[in-house]
């Protein structure tokens, strides 16, 4: 595959860490960004995992041209 699938993570806590670690085993995927409503959490997550981009605004993450897929790792109470 020439182009890796660009992935954005929505959420920056425990479950997103599991998703990130799983995605690192997929040769054709690359986690490019994380979004969290809390700037400190987004910053800590990107620093810990070597992710290039961080957002606190969902629309900004979704507007990234290199993002092909998103993984939603938020509590169920926030998805309704």
């Amino acid at each position: 595959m020439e182009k890796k699938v660009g992935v954005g993570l929505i959420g920056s806590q425990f479950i997103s860490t599991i998703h990130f670690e799983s995605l690192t085993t997929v040769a054709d995927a690359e986690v490019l960004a994380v979004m969290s409503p809390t700037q400190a959490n987004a910053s800590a997550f990107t620093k810990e995992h070597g992710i290039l981009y961080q957002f606190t605004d969902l629309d900004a993450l979704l507007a990234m041209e290199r993002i092909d897929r998103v993984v939603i790792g938020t509590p169920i109470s926030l998805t309704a």
Side-chain angles (χ1 to χ4, degrees):
M1 178 177 209
E2 285 184 31
K3 177 188 177 288
K4 290 188 177 192
V5 174
V7 180
L9 297 176
I10 300 172
S12 60
Q13 297 298 312
F14 174 74
I15 196 66
S16 291
T17 298
I18 291 173
H19 288 300
F20 174 82
E21 290 171 358
S22 295
L23 286 162
T24 62
T25 68
V26 179
D28 294 330
E30 180 179 17
V31 178
L32 298 173
V34 66
M35 180 270 159
S36 173
T38 307
Q39 180 64 52
N41 290 350
S43 294
F45 196 90
T46 56
K47 182 177 180 180
E48 180 177 346
H49 300 291
I51 298 172
L52 295 176
Y53 302 98
Q54 59 181 282
F55 298 95
T56 57
D57 178 69
L58 178 58
D59 291 332
L61 170 72
L62 297 176
M64 257 188 89
E65 288 189 26
R66 292 180 57 199
I67 298 292
D68 301 303
R69 302 284 185 268
V70 295
V71 175
I72 302 171
T74 60
I76 292 172
S77 63
L78 297 178
T79 60

